């Protein structure tokens, strides 16, 4: 992880919000609570020169996050 933004502190001139953004090179994960259900939502983003590479990066990132949050 090369950067973390905690929007609970009010970042980039945006209003305070329960959102965390984790960045690492060409990857990003946005974490926020659901507004209607008792769960956490994670949005994953990847940037790569080819779609197959970005898909592979997203698959790996999803597996790593799932291992952290599932017992």
């Amino acid at each position: 992880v090369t950067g973390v933004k905690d929007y609970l502190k009010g970042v980039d001139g945006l209003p305070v919000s329960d959102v965390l953004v984790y960045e690492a090179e060409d990857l990003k994960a946005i974490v926020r609570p659901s507004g209607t259900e008792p769960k956490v939502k994670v949005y994953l983003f990847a940037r790569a020169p080819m779609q197959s590479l970005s898909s592979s990066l997203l698959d790996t990132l999803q597996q790593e996050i799932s291992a952290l949050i599932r017992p």
Side-chain angles (χ1 to χ4, degrees), residues 2 4 10 13 18 27-29 32-33 35 38 43-45 51-53 55 58 61-63 67-69:
T2 58
V4 177
D18 285 339
L27 299 171
K28 184 186 290 189
R32 70 170 187 84
Y43 301 89
L44 304 175
F45 301 88
Q51 184 175 351
S52 60
L53 180 54
S55 293
L58 287 173
L61 186 57
Q62 181 180 5
Q63 290 171 10
L68 290 173
I69 61 176

Side-chain angles (χ1 to χ4, degrees), residues 18-33:
D18 285 339
V19 175
L20 293 169
V21 178
Y22 296 93
E23 298 176 308
E25 295 184 29
D26 292 329
L27 299 171
K28 184 186 290 189
I30 299 174
V31 182
R32 70 170 187 84

Side-chain angles (χ1 to χ4, degrees), residues 26-42:
D26 292 329
L27 299 171
K28 184 186 290 189
I30 299 174
V31 182
R32 70 170 187 84
S34 172
T36 58
E37 301 174 285
K39 64 181 178 181
V40 174
K41 295 189 174 192
V42 180

